[in-house]
Amino acid sequence: TRDYGLLKRLLSTVETKEKSKFTVRSCGMLLQMMTRSTGKAVLSSSRITLANRILLGLSTSFEPSEELYETVLAAVKTFGHDELSGSISKLLGDETRMHGHELSVFLHRADFILNLNKCLESESNHLEKSISDLTTYGNRISDSRVINETIESMISHYGEEAMENVVKASLTFMHKVSSKMLPDLMNRARLLWKFRRRYNQGYNFIQACLVDFVVPFVAGLKVNSTPTVIGYMNGQHKRLFMKLIRFVIEYGKKDELHGFGLFAIKTETLLSALLKAIAESNIGIAPQVMLRDILNKCLVQRSVTMRSGWPNHTKEDGISVHPSSHVRKFLEAYPDMVKKTDGDGRLTLHHAVDSTSAPFEAVMDVFEANPKSVSVRDPVSGLYPFMLAASNDNIAASFSLLLADPSLVLGGTQVDTVDSNKKRKRSPPMG
């Protein structure tokens, strides 16, 4: 590095050959020669010129490595940012180099830019440009686990505030390109869970990211095999998987709640595994509360059929697979769950009758588990359960619920229509 004659000849060669291009390794080595040379034989202006030409000479076929970025930072400290700013802007802004890259490449760029800003003690517009490039040119994530580690390391190094836009852009990109395979979804969820726990106050976009995450997660449950899903429920990732189900309940919209409900009752074995996993979970919420919310939002609206993977058991009414078998399994596990109101002040019966798809049998099973609920107004609609059932065209359930407490339409007068010592028979579904 002290052969100044070689540096002079190299300067002459590079400047006369406009199309000369360097590999990442060559570019790094030459820049190191510039930053380490202190001899007077090589003028400072010549070294700066050569440093700029080397940066511009990096082939567009190569993305700068972490080592090269570190060498560029050393050059900035040696020559000054103003002397190299044009070349750095072109290095980061070359569109040919952008195409087809994965998220890790843009994170390495962001790391360099944040380091540069820290070195300059000022903000540059490079970070905004890099985030825009990720949205436009990024196309995949190769290793979500490494991505998680990189983002967390950068937050630790640069701070929550400096990383806000990088985190937001990364999570948005993950949603855009993430696969539906459970390993990738689990890694993404692990990052979201940490962010919600640690940075939810500072990063006000986390909730929107959680809403976005629920969509591919529910879709992923459908495309992965039942044994694979059960393996996650019972394996070393059980606790995280239960958190993801909680995400569905908290942030899922109508389609996602519907999709999760259909998934959960796919087979009796799957639903049993879900019940067991939740009962054994430790995610900061009582199992009974979580099961109640799943029953209320996802299951009472569904009906088990012979196609659902449930064994055929002929009942006294001739039904081979009872439409409410899934509800009965929940009630067998925690019979009192339907007596507790949820965050909206609603009982399970309110959720059951506030649906056009809830089977008559499910409504009645829920009612019989908590008969007093028939006389409790729904705090959302202001209607009694029999009224809400009628408004959703479940006439058979509406009639049966009204028979349970006729005083609701008789000005409060109690009418004994049947012997109180006898169990009232269900009204059959109307054809």
Side-chain angles (χ1 to χ4, degrees):
T1 59
R2 296 183 180 277
D3 188 343
Y4 305 121
L6 173 61
L7 293 179
K8 286 183 177 180
R9 293 193 296 274
L10 183 59
L11 171 63
S12 175
T13 301
V14 171
E15 289 182 334
T16 56
K17 293 187 177 181
E18 293 298 326
K19 293 185 179 181
S20 60
K21 298 294 180 183
F22 303 118
T23 64
V24 171
R25 185 169 180 272
S26 298
C27 188
M29 290 176 63
L30 292 172
L31 272 181
Q32 287 179 5
M33 292 172 68
M34 296 300 97
T35 57
R36 294 174 182 175
S37 296
T38 57
K40 296 181 179 180
V42 180
L43 299 176
S44 177
S45 60
S46 297
R47 292 167 61 201
I48 293 172
T49 299
L50 182 54
N52 278 298
R53 185 64 187 86
I54 291 170
L55 283 174
L56 295 174
L58 178 64
S59 172
T60 55
S61 301
F62 301 108
E63 175 68 22
S65 63
E66 291 184 55
E67 292 77 12
L68 179 55
Y69 279 136
E70 290 175 1
T71 303
V72 174
L73 285 172
V76 168
K77 293 176 181 178
T78 300
F79 302 120
H81 178 256
D82 291 343
E83 301 291 350
L84 301 176
S85 61
S87 299
I88 292 174
S89 294
K90 290 182 180 179
L91 176 71
L92 296 173
D94 193 310
E95 292 189 3
T96 306
R97 191 178 284 117
M98 305 289 186
H99 288 279
H101 280 307
E102 61 179 5
L103 177 56
S104 62
V105 170
F106 291 93
L107 286 175
H108 289 152
R109 284 175 175 244
D111 188 30
F112 165 71
I113 294 166
L114 289 170
N115 245 326
L116 181 63
N117 292 345
K118 196 173 182 180
C119 176
L120 300 175
E121 297 183 351
S122 63
E123 293 287 332
S124 67
N125 63 353
H126 296 312
L127 188 59
E128 183 179 346
K129 176 67 168 57
S130 182
I131 290 173
S132 175
D133 291 338
L134 170 62
T135 303
T136 305
Y137 302 108
N139 70 351
R140 68 188 187 278
I141 300 172
S142 293
D143 191 332
S144 53
R145 181 183 57 80
V146 173
I147 293 297
N148 286 6
E149 293 173 354
T150 301
I151 292 175
E152 291 184 69
S153 175
M154 291 174 68
I155 292 176
S156 177
H157 184 70
Y158 299 111
E160 182 180 334
E161 183 177 354
M163 279 290 293
E164 180 175 356
N165 290 333
V166 175
V167 171
K168 183 177 182 180
S170 298
L171 292 177
T172 301
F173 181 75
M174 288 180 189
H175 175 64
K176 175 183 173 184
V177 304
S178 180
S179 77
K180 296 177 182 177
M181 293 297 99
L182 281 178
D184 290 333
L185 289 168
M186 295 290 279
N187 279 327
R188 181 178 164 198
R190 189 173 286 107
L191 189 66
L192 284 170
W193 179 263
K194 288 182 179 179
F195 284 171
R196 191 178 86 151
R197 182 161 48 90
R198 296 178 184 175
Y199 311 118
N200 201 31
Q201 297 301 316
Y203 291 164
N204 56 16
F205 53 83
I206 294 297
Q207 183 166 326
C209 292
L210 288 166
V211 173
D212 288 340
F213 172 78
V214 168
V215 178
F217 176 65
V218 172
L221 293 177
K222 297 176 184 178
V223 301
N224 287 271
S225 69
T226 298
T228 297
V229 176
I230 291 177
Y232 274 94
M233 287 185 188
N234 297 327
Q236 61 177 334
H237 303 294
K238 179 199 300 187
R239 189 166 183 266
L240 177 60
F241 197 87
M242 292 301 103
K243 292 174 182 176
L244 303 194
I245 293 176
R246 191 65 204 172
F247 284 171
V248 174
I249 303 305
E250 288 186 24
Y251 302 106
K253 296 182 180 178
K254 184 177 180 179
D255 287 347
E256 287 70 56
L257 295 172
H258 174 78
F260 180 75
L262 291 179
F263 158 78
I265 64 172
K266 184 177 180 181
T267 69
E268 185 177 24
T269 301
L270 179 57
L271 188 65
S272 297
L274 178 63
L275 277 165
K276 180 177 182 293
I278 293 175
E280 298 173 350
S281 66
N282 179 24
I283 59 171
I285 183 171
Q288 184 170 341
V289 172
M290 187 164 174
L291 288 171
R292 179 206 64 199
D293 290 345
I294 292 174
L295 180 64
N296 289 358
K297 294 187 177 184
C298 306
L299 297 187
V300 291
Q301 303 84 357
R302 311 278 81 81
S303 177
V304 168
T305 67
M306 291 182 65
R307 297 188 302 275
S308 300
W310 291 68
N312 292 342
H313 298 300
T314 302
K315 304 292 182 179
E316 65 278 1
D317 55 10
I319 302 176
S320 56
V321 178
H322 200 281
S324 185
S325 296
H326 57 307
V327 174
R328 292 182 175 185
K329 285 189 76 70
F330 267 60
L331 294 177
E332 287 170 6
Y334 293 98
D336 291 336
M337 72 169 69
V338 297
K339 298 178 181 179
K340 306 292 184 181
T341 57
D342 62 14
D344 296 320
R346 303 183 97 186
L347 293 164
T348 302
L349 184 60
H350 296 139
H351 287 275
V353 295
D354 191 16
S355 169
T356 58
S357 59
F360 170 81
E361 294 81 4
V363 174
M364 299 313 296
D365 281 338
V366 169
F367 157 67
E368 290 177 0
N370 183 20
K372 292 182 179 180
S373 61
V374 74
S375 305
V376 179
R377 286 183 184 271
D378 172 33
V380 175
S381 65
L383 301 176
Y384 286 110
F386 84 91
M387 297 175 177
L388 198 52
S391 71
N392 285 287
D393 295 326
N394 197 337
I395 305 304
S398 176
F399 184 65
S400 293
L401 295 173
L402 180 57
L403 283 178
D405 187 1
S407 67
L408 296 175
V409 294
L410 293 176
T413 302
Q414 183 66 45
V415 178
D416 291 326
T417 58
V418 296
D419 188 337
S420 59
N421 294 321
K422 296 180 181 179
K423 184 177 179 180
R424 180 178 290 107
K425 294 183 179 180
R426 297 183 178 189
S427 298
M430 297 182 179

